[in-house]
Amino acid sequence: HCNKESIQPMLDVMNIMTKVISDYTDLPVVTLGRMAGQYAKPRSSPTEVVNGVTMESYKGDIMNCAEADVKGRIPDPNRMIQGYFRSAACLNFIRSSTHINNRVTGEMLQQVRMILGTGAIRSCFHPGMVGFGQDTKFKKTYAELTQTDKQMRTTMKTGENLFISHEGLLMEYEESMTREITNDSDGESKAAAYNASTHMLWIGHRTRGLEDAHVEYFRGIYNPVGVKVGPGTTPEVLINLINRLNPSNEVGKIVLITRFGAEKVLKDLPPLVQSVKDANLKVIWVCDPMHGNTFKINGFKTRDFTNVVNEILNTFSVHKKIGTRLNGLHLEMCGEDVTECVGGPEKLTASDLPRCFTSACDPRLNFQQCVGVAYAVGACLKKKEEKLTSLPKNTLVKYGSVPGLKKKVSKLIYGTLFLHKVADPMELLDNIWASGVNAFDTAAIYGAPEGRCEEIMGKWIKTRKINTDELVLITKGGCSGAESKWAPRMSKTQIVHDLEGSLKRLQLKTVDVYLLHRDDPAIPVSEIVDTMNKLISQGKINSWGVSNWSLERFKAAMDYSKSKGLMAPVVDSTQASLAKPAGPVWPGTTFMTEDREAFYVAKKSEVAVFAWETLAKGFMTGKWTADDLTDVEDKPYRERTLIKAYCTGVNFKRRNRAELLAKVKGVPIHNVALAYLLNLQCEMFVLVGTSNESHFKSNLGMFDVPLTQEENNWLVSGGELHAC
């Protein structure tokens, strides 16, 4: 099976199973492929009789041949070398498929669409799964998988969420693949023995005796270790084995793979789970629903799909009653249309087995049965569907679009800079959402302590059950706080670190728009663009942009992205208002210039503008007069900077014209100032940050102030205005 025709379908079906389970549970899925090394087979008898001839049992391609040939069944050490090269070739193909091709093949998607479309998935589960196929989770995955005009990109990346595993059976091979590797742990470099042939090894049911050579070897390696647990295992034996393999009780070291059978699991598993829990041993519980459900019919070893699913459901039930958690599945499967297990979406019977039984040993689930198992697990694990808090149907708020983002975005964005100072921030956020505003802008450095505003947003989203399909969450990183004078943090490591912190505080898996708060010209735009696109491929951000970058650097990032077929920055967040500042209003910030505005207009379909300080820190509401300039040097630094920036002769004239137009239209001056921005010929969004609910609501009036292009031009340049 070391060929593209076998490996690619396996990767495809693992991708689809990962998507189904992840969509149902809203949890990340780690995939261990039982491949690139699964060449040794445990056998209950060392010999077998074929046509009256006694010969060695087939023990896997790494030892002897599957054909009933006396000479071919003699163990051949050269097969270990062949196994090594086959494993390397398999891994190289997996890397190229997940990193270069990066999508599920159209043939596999077509097959999945067929079984979903016929209702075969829904028909193969027992009556206990009430409502399966009618829930919104099923409908969502069904809709996405059956979109015939779209490809499905893989979320699996080797070394990130895709790893390999096999049974450590042939000691001569595993020992030769053991390497001493330096491991950095807790700031200290320590040498440790790793089995370099795989990521995780497991010990089989027949080789896990406390004094067995396999246990002695396994307790000396640093890899995670799996242990098969089946009938006949006593609590005492299991506890002793776990302590032997993991004396320091390290989290994630031991994976217990239970294999009892659909009926026996309800009786035999509970005392083992309870004893491990009582001993406070840190283990990962995994269900193997295959081996305990094997039987023979018409000369074929097979398994019944219904029993496989039932063992999974019964195992879930055991863990739920005891208060532990089933963390994973261990399946024998393939991505091909084999007929080795009966039942499932196709309702295979014993008469179907000879049609395509290609396994040399144990029967495997085919791709349809695999998809069925994924839906069964998803339905079992899915959270209870909650009524979400959605946007109002009727609102004054107008919406626009951010390139590449599949959500409408309110033209008014609430900025959370002062959210931590609000007496009841939850109520304020409730009222903003209820007004129809669905876009919220925050940052890793907002709040005291830094990050506090993100924490408040995360708590609000979770406790208020905000519908995240409608919410547009914008946050920013790549910038230090005031104590470091807003120094850029733009290396790959710093960007990833800042984003991980934001996601944790926001209690989200994905941010809709991630902005880089500052720029570091010393770092090439290519490195930054590559970093942001990797975060997109990992599903951590949906789109990205920048704040306070020079126009030249922004253009360079767009050009590089296009040349490489990558997602370019789609948002530029800069200071913009009717009052044009004389210079930067914060260290290292940018503001709207004629060149920037012309660029935004030309790139309206490619770039959205998030304008901040849109009322010029209150200047456009009447704050400050020309008298404030007389003693400006005596004022605190921040106020001094703002007065010098905004209190110019040009801006006083613009404010006067805005006051006049506001009187004519019968609206507050700040509504005219904000409406001016919305009337610019680019994809403009207005950020407003306030801790006062009435102030925020008054800003909604900007949507009731229609301005003509003539009025917009008059506000800027003056002259005659023929109609208002």
Side-chain angles (χ1 to χ4, degrees):
H1 299 290
C2 184
N3 53 64
K4 176 183 177 181
E5 290 71 26
S6 294
I7 301 170
Q8 187 61 58
M10 177 71 94
L11 294 174
D12 287 345
V13 77
M14 288 194 299
N15 260 302
I16 292 168
M17 294 176 75
T18 295
K19 173 177 174 54
V20 170
I21 294 173
S22 183
D23 283 354
Y24 261 97
T25 61
D26 294 324
L27 293 171
V29 175
V30 175
T31 304
L32 279 86
R34 186 178 175 177
M35 54 208 314
Q38 185 60 28
Y39 304 131
K41 306 291 183 184
R43 303 309 297 267
S44 55
S45 175
T47 62
E48 64 178 334
V49 178
V50 181
N51 297 326
V53 180
T54 301
M55 62 186 70
E56 293 267 356
S57 295
Y58 170 58
K59 297 172 183 174
D61 290 340
I62 202 167
M63 289 189 68
N64 56 14
C65 71
E67 294 77 18
D69 178 75
V70 175
K71 290 184 178 180
R73 289 289 180 89
I74 298 173
D76 181 0
N78 287 317
R79 283 179 170 268
M80 290 194 289
I81 299 174
Q82 295 176 33
Y84 169 80
F85 286 112
R86 294 294 180 94
S87 177
C90 181
L91 286 173
N92 285 335
F93 180 83
I94 292 170
R95 293 186 189 103
S96 67
S97 179
T98 55
H99 286 277
I100 299 174
N101 296 334
N102 195 29
R103 57 180 55 84
V104 174
T105 60
E107 182 181 355
M108 175 61 74
L109 275 180
Q110 186 59 38
Q111 291 174 321
V112 172
R113 288 164 184 155
M114 181 181 68
I115 61 174
L116 287 175
T118 61
I121 288 290
R122 281 182 256 197
S123 68
C124 63
F125 296 117
H126 61 67
M129 297 180 66
V130 178
F132 177 75
Q134 303 302 320
D135 56 284
T136 57
K137 293 287 189 180
F138 178 88
K139 292 175 181 177
K140 179 176 182 290
T141 58
Y142 174 85
E144 291 179 358
L145 288 173
T146 54
Q147 285 181 314
T148 57
D149 60 331
K150 293 190 177 181
Q151 294 180 323
M152 177 183 164
R153 289 195 172 274
T154 175
T155 57
M156 298 193 310
K157 300 293 181 184
T158 52
E160 294 179 14
N161 62 357
L162 172 60
F163 304 91
I164 61 168
S165 180
H166 67 255
E167 180 176 355
L169 183 62
L170 185 57
M171 283 292 95
E172 291 84 353
Y173 182 76
E174 305 303 346
E175 288 173 347
S176 69
M177 297 301 297
T178 307
R179 306 285 186 269
E180 190 174 88
I181 300 173
T182 300
N183 173 50
D184 292 323
S185 178
D186 299 325
E188 297 182 14
S189 294
K190 298 178 181 178
Y194 283 84
N195 184 303
S197 72
T198 189
H199 294 106
M200 188 190 91
L201 281 175
W202 77 79
I203 305 178
H205 189 62
R206 299 180 180 91
T207 55
R208 57 174 175 76
L210 279 180
E211 305 306 322
D212 287 353
H214 288 74
V215 172
E216 179 63 21
Y217 171 77
F218 273 71
R219 77 184 187 91
I221 59 174
Y222 203 78
N223 305 59
V225 170
V227 179
K228 286 293 186 80
V229 180
T233 306
T234 65
E236 181 182 6
V237 167
L238 184 58
I239 297 298
N240 289 336
L241 181 58
I242 295 171
N243 286 326
R244 178 70 63 88
L245 293 171
N246 188 27
S248 59
N249 204 20
E250 180 183 357
V251 177
K253 174 69 176 179
I254 300 297
V255 180
L256 297 182
I257 307 167
T258 62
R259 38 165 290 180
F260 290 94
E263 299 301 324
K264 290 182 179 180
V265 68
L266 291 171
K267 175 178 177 293
D268 293 349
L269 181 59
L272 298 176
V273 175
Q274 189 66 58
S275 65
V276 171
K277 180 184 179 183
D278 292 344
N280 196 31
L281 295 176
K282 298 176 175 63
V283 301
I284 295 171
W285 290 99
V286 170
C287 172
D288 169 2
M290 307 297 294
H291 287 86
N293 294 300
T294 306
F295 61 95
K296 274 193 173 185
I297 186 169
N298 297 340
F300 289 93
K301 286 175 64 177
T302 189
R303 289 148 179 168
D304 191 317
F305 174 84
T306 301
N307 290 338
V308 169
V309 172
N310 283 344
E311 180 161 0
I312 295 170
L313 300 181
N314 289 342
T315 303
F316 271 120
S317 174
V318 168
H319 284 284
K320 185 175 181 180
K321 287 179 181 178
I322 296 176
T324 52
R325 183 173 180 173
L326 180 61
N327 301 99
L329 296 179
H330 179 100
L331 302 172
E332 287 194 307
M333 53 179 266
C334 67
E336 300 161 75
D337 193 17
V338 300
T339 56
E340 299 172 2
C341 293
V342 297
E346 298 172 286
K347 296 181 169 48
L348 298 178
T349 65
S351 62
D352 293 305
L353 296 178
R355 176 158 54 89
C356 191
F357 198 113
T358 62
S359 174
C361 194
D362 291 332
R364 302 161 297 169
L365 299 171
N366 64 25
F367 80 92
Q368 296 196 34
Q369 293 164 333
C370 289
V371 176
V373 167
Y375 272 105
V377 172
C380 201
L381 282 174
K382 75 180 178 72
K383 298 177 182 177
K384 183 179 179 181
E385 294 184 11
E386 301 171 317
K387 186 176 181 181
L388 300 176
T389 305
S390 297
L391 289 169
K393 293 182 179 180
N394 299 313
T395 175
L396 289 173
V397 175
K398 295 179 181 178
Y399 301 89
S401 61
V402 171
L405 192 64
K406 299 176 183 178
K407 297 180 182 181
K408 65 180 183 180
V409 184
S410 56
K411 284 286 188 174
L412 179 61
I413 299 175
Y414 177 65
T416 65
L417 179 61
F418 304 111
L419 190 60
H420 63 295
K421 296 182 178 181
V422 179
D424 190 348
M426 298 294 171
E427 183 180 0
L428 175 62
L429 293 171
D430 287 343
N431 290 325
I432 292 171
W433 179 261
S435 74
V437 169
N438 73 329
F440 296 79
D441 173 87
T442 187
I445 62 172
Y446 285 178
E450 291 179 1
R452 178 58 183 149
C453 293
E454 287 183 328
E455 289 178 351
I456 295 171
M457 282 298 303
K459 182 179 179 182
W460 174 69
I461 293 168
K462 184 174 183 179
T463 59
R464 296 308 204 250
K465 299 181 175 60
I466 299 301
N467 187 346
T468 53
D469 288 339
E470 296 180 339
L471 173 72
V472 177
L473 200 290
I474 307 151
T475 194
K476 301 182 286 292
C479 176
S480 303
E483 291 184 3
S484 300
K485 298 184 178 179
W486 301 282
R489 292 171 42 82
M490 296 295 294
S491 72
K492 177 181 177 180
T493 301
Q494 290 171 327
I495 291 173
V496 172
H497 178 271
D498 286 357
L499 175 60
E500 293 291 353
S502 292
L503 290 172
K504 183 177 181 180
R505 289 186 290 271
L506 291 165
Q507 303 182 59
L508 295 173
K509 292 194 300 182
T510 307
V511 168
D512 293 300
V513 183
Y514 192 65
L515 302 181
L516 299 174
H517 215 162
R518 289 293 190 275
D519 187 20
D520 185 352
I523 298 178
V525 291
S526 58
E527 180 180 324
I528 296 171
V529 170
D530 290 345
T531 298
M532 301 308 289
N533 274 265
K534 185 170 184 180
L535 294 173
I536 290 171
S537 70
Q538 293 172 345
K540 295 180 179 179
I541 62 176
N542 288 327
S543 62
W544 72 285
V546 302
S547 181
N548 304 307
W549 277 35
S550 70
L551 188 56
E552 291 70 23
R553 284 273 284 181
F554 189 87
K555 290 178 178 178
M558 291 187 71
D559 291 343
Y560 173 78
S561 300
K562 291 179 181 178
S563 71
K564 298 296 183 180
L566 301 173
M567 177 177 273
V570 295
V571 172
D572 189 10
S573 184
T574 189
Q575 190 282 330
S577 66
L578 180 57
K580 181 180 178 181
V585 294
W586 289 88
T589 62
T590 60
F591 57 93
M592 181 79 88
T593 61
E594 290 183 4
D595 287 345
R596 286 189 103 93
E597 184 177 345
F599 174 75
Y600 296 148
V601 172
K603 299 292 184 181
K604 183 175 181 178
S605 63
E606 300 176 52
V607 181
V609 183
F610 289 0
W612 50 269
E613 234 167 74
T614 49
L615 293 175
K617 274 300 181 185
F619 178 85
M620 290 308 303
T621 64
K623 186 177 181 180
W624 300 312
T625 66
D627 293 338
D628 287 294
L629 289 167
T630 58
D631 60 347
V632 67
E633 297 300 334
D634 297 330
K635 297 184 183 296
Y637 164 77
R638 181 70 186 129
E639 187 176 5
R640 182 170 72 246
T641 302
L642 292 170
I643 291 173
K644 286 183 175 181
Y646 292 120
C647 293
T648 66
V650 170
N651 286 338
F652 281 124
K653 291 178 181 179
R654 290 185 176 185
R655 188 168 74 180
N656 290 339
R657 289 192 288 270
E659 287 177 339
L660 177 60
L661 191 57
K663 288 180 181 179
V664 172
K665 292 182 176 290
V667 298
I669 180 177
H670 64 276
N671 285 170
V672 171
L674 296 177
Y676 156 80
L677 288 172
L678 289 183
N679 205 43
L680 295 177
Q681 299 304 300
C682 54
E683 191 63 39
M684 173 65 72
F685 296 84
V686 174
L687 271 80
V688 174
T690 177
S691 57
N692 187 295
E693 181 186 340
S694 62
H695 288 173
F696 177 81
K697 286 185 175 179
S698 71
N699 291 320
L700 296 174
M702 70 178 183
F703 295 114
D704 272 340
V705 184
L707 293 180
T708 65
Q709 193 58 50
E710 183 184 4
E711 289 170 333
N712 243 45
N713 295 339
W714 178 77
L715 286 170
V716 174
S717 305
E720 292 187 6
L721 183 63
H722 299 291
C724 293

